[in-house]
Structures are given as structure tokens and as C-alpha cells.
Amino acid sequence: MTELVLGPLLRHVNEDSATVWVETDGPCTVRVLGAEAPTFEAGGRHYALVVITGLEPATSTAYQVRLDDEVAWPPPDYTRPAPRIRTLSEEDGRFRIVFGSCRKPREMPSLGYDALVAYARRMAVLDEAEWPESLLLLGDQVYADETTEQMRAWLRTKRDTSEPPGNEMADFEEYARLYHEAWHDDWLRWLLSTVPTSMIFDDHDVRDDWNTSETWRHQMARLDWWPQRIQGALASYWIYQHIGNLSPAELADDPMFRQVTKSGEDNLPALREFARQADAEADGKKGARWSYRRDFGPVRLLVIDTRAGRLLHDGHRSMVDEDEFAWIEHNAEGEYDHLLIGTSLPWLLPRSLAQLQSANERACERPGWRGRIAEWVRQTGDLEHWSAFRTSFDRLSDLISRTGRGERGPASISVLSGDVHHAYIAKAGYTPEVPAAINQLTCSPLHNTVPWFMRLVFRLGWWRSAEKVADALARRAGVPPLPLHWTRTSGPHFGNAIATIDVDGRTAVAFLEQSGEAGLTRLPLVRLTER
């Protein structure tokens, strides 16, 4: 009998459709609520994304996963609430999304209490009306370069880890094992089967400093093991994370999805070629678009890839290529009450840190030893956020300003981010004033930590005296004036945490919750629609 290896993961849900993802230990037909999909093969592993249509809006339906004709999930002795599909309402203006980033496996207790698991435990005893409509994971779902002892032991049975890449991931097979380690936890498995989940990668899904600069790309290209690594990373990301972000209509139009689901053969060679092209830069473009859009009634979620889509060639630096930025700007248009922009890297850092990153970008352009030292500082200090791509920072800032000034503009625009292993909320403003309230919400980590000295850096980063020094350094480096101003309204907070945004019509509030021995502790509420 074919068995379930991983999943089910409930991914895209709207008013009348849903997708459910699974990994199985053999070929079969996967059935959910009368819909079915044959598995497709990659690297000897088997996957399916079942597209369920014809659902009624604003309904909640328990479901089972059948492999061929046998019920594979939930198991007979399942003690948690049945996994369910809750479709969106066409009329209700209420919506709840939770988000966070940077989660190492629960088997690492030294990192404290897992905020995502703590959320699942609490959610299981709440009334279904209190459950969120969406979960957004903003990067570092897996750590391919910082592996657990259990993963290292398994790698030693497979290859000689004294040879590069050592205890890091080397290929697709190892990435598949890494995803299983990250998602096999019983509580997490229940949460992901019940709450529609959207995802985007960050650097550790591939490797620390991934695409931080053109120099970094040249350094990695000289390593003989890198091509197999990056191809395994992006091929596995496409299967485990990306396809679930897409709507049924987008899946039907996706050439790679059509190919793998109809080929009848092992698709890993085709996926590796797809990944090779996705990583390459040609004629100022990247070979794939990982950014995507989701609409939830009064809320639009626009998720921007800030890693794979970077253009880094001939001294040019951009977060995404011109075509993708145009796509982002086009998809910010429309009528909705709240715009959420998901980007793994914060748009608004503490101002002093933002200015230093912009100054470093200018310093890296200098010839000779000065530029080499600045590049070393960039890679060592992870100076690679939006402000380190200042042209892209300004373009995103302009997009947010234009959107907030629209004739039927949103009540709020909030940028949701992770990466920096602490949490904070900041409010932004422009001159002249933008009618929409603008916020930066950063929540990281779900399950990780940050060194003590970085805690000090992040606290000092908000000091006014530090801002003055950084502003002076930025002016001296030739950095143009900032196009907006911002102040923190909550934080910085350290420790494992998860963030919630509650929308009710044209109003929206947010709060952070930190995990501890007693569960989750809520921090003060912030009204996102107040300027």
C-alpha cells in the first residue's frame, strides 16, 4: 500500500477552490473531496498537488486524503481536529493572517520554544471562528547551510562530509530530506493541513548571503559543487513551496507544472534545467518569476521575491529585473481596502542601519582595496536588505506612495518581513502626506536565535544619535536623501515570535506574540490604519 511521506499541506484557498499538496512513497492517484491528481515523479520521489473546485463560499469542510482508494490521512487514531478547507466569504470584510520567518526544526531545544508549534497547540483548542484565514512563511523554511546533528549523521551515511560542501546540502535528494525534517512535526503537520499557507524563500533556504552581490555570485561559480547545489535548491523549492502559492488558473497556465504532471517519467532532469535557467541572468532578465499575488476579499497580498530575482551584473544591482518590477507595479493596482506586501527582507530597517547599508553599497563600487574591504564588510555583516539596493528601495517607496495616494486607495499598506531575528513595527510617512497608513511589520524568528551583540546593534539602531551619525556617513558617500521618514511603534522584541494582522472592513490592527514555557504571550496591539 502506498503511504503518505509528508503532508497534507493546504495551500491556495479562495471562495470556491483549494489546492492540497502531498508527498507519497510511490506512484498513485491522490484524492481529496472528490478531486484527484496522479502523482508526478522527481528524483525517485512522488508528489501531487490536488486542485479542488466547485466549493461553496464561506463554508468549512473536513477532508480526507486518499491514496488510490485507501484513506491515508488523517490516521485512525488522530486526536487533533480534522483537517478542513475553509473557503473565503464573498461578503464578509473580516480577515486574519499570521506570519513569521526563520524556523529551525523543533528538535533543536536550545533555540527556545517554537512559536509556530505553540500557535498550533493553542489554535487546536480555539473555536474555528478564531482560526486565521492565512499563514505566510517569509523565508528560511529550511536551513540548507546550518544543519542539525541528526541531518549531519544522515549525510555521513551518504557521502564524505569532509569534502565540500561538508554538512550543507549538496543536491535534490538531500533537500528532500531537509524538508521532511522541517515539516514532519505532528503539530506543524496539523497546522499546515488546516490553514492555507503561502511561502517565499530567503537566503538559508539556499545558502547564507545568497545573491548578496555580483562578487558573491562569481565566488560561488568557481566552486565545482555549486551548480548541483543551486539546481537542487530551486528544483526542490519549486515542488515543496512554489507551486502551492499558485491559483488553479495559474497552475493551468504554468508550463513547468503542465510538463511534470503529464510527462510520465522522472522529472528531475527537466526541473534541474528549469532551475539552472531560473538562476541565470540573460539580457537583464531572470529565467523565472517567483513573486506572486493572493486576494483575500478586502485584502491583497503581494509577495516579492528578494533573493532569486536579483540582477547583479556589470555593476548593476536590482532586487528584481525590470519586467518583474513592472509586474509588481501592475499588481499593486486595483480596488481593495488593505495592501500587504510580503518580502523576506525588511523594507524599513532601523534608520541608521538602513543608511549604513546604502553607504556600503556606494563604497563597494570603489576600485581597488577600498572596494574589496567594503565587499568583505557587506558579506560579513549581511548588508543586503532593500536599503543596500538603494535604487530598488526608492522604486518600492515610490510605488507605495503612489498606491497610497490613489483615488480609491487602500486604508493601509503594510510591508511584512522577517530575516533579522527580532520583531518590530514601524510607521512611515511621506511629504506631502499619503492618505493611506503605511507600516513595516517585521517578525523573526519563529524558532531561532540572535547573538547578544546583534541585539545591542538592533537596539542602538533606533537611537537618534546613531541616526545622525549614519545620515552624515550616507551624505559623505553620496547617498541621496531618503524619500520618506519612519519611526518604530513597537520593539525591538527578541525571542521566538509570530505576528497577527486582523482586518475588519477598512480598519486593521496587528500584534506580536512571543513563545515561552507557558505558550504565547501577546504584546501590545498596534492600529495599522492610524497614521
Side-chain angles (χ1 to χ4, degrees), residues 392-405:
S392 298
F393 174 92
D394 289 349
R395 186 166 178 177
L396 178 62
S397 301
D398 182 61
L399 169 63
I400 290 171
S401 173
R402 291 198 317 272
T403 304
R405 298 180 195 277

Side-chain angles (χ1 to χ4, degrees), residues 263-298:
S263 70
E265 58 187 29
D266 193 314
N267 292 282
L268 185 55
L271 284 167
R272 287 189 60 180
E273 175 58 21
F274 168 81
R276 186 194 67 79
Q277 295 180 25
D279 180 55
E281 298 178 2
D283 300 323
K285 298 179 181 179
K286 298 302 289 270
R289 190 189 77 230
W290 305 103
S291 301
Y292 59 93
R293 168 185 146 189
R294 298 284 311 274
D295 286 326
F296 305 97

Side-chain angles (χ1 to χ4, degrees), residues 288-356:
R289 190 189 77 230
W290 305 103
S291 301
Y292 59 93
R293 168 185 146 189
R294 298 284 311 274
D295 286 326
F296 305 97
V299 176
R300 173 162 296 175
L301 172 64
L302 190 55
V303 180
I304 301 175
D305 158 32
T306 53
R307 284 292 176 183
R310 294 179 179 184
L311 280 185
L312 303 159
H313 66 91
D314 298 331
H316 178 74
R317 288 171 54 81
S318 178
M319 275 293 190
V320 295
D321 65 42
E322 177 62 33
D323 285 352
E324 187 159 346
F325 235 127
W327 180 91
I328 292 165
E329 291 167 331
H330 173 73
N331 280 274
E333 298 172 358
E335 291 192 6
Y336 45 81
D337 291 330
H338 306 275
L339 175 62
L340 306 180
I341 300 176
T343 161
S344 63
L345 301 175
W347 167 52
L348 302 179
L349 288 167
R351 175 170 164 164
S352 62
L353 301 184
Q355 291 286 69
L356 290 175

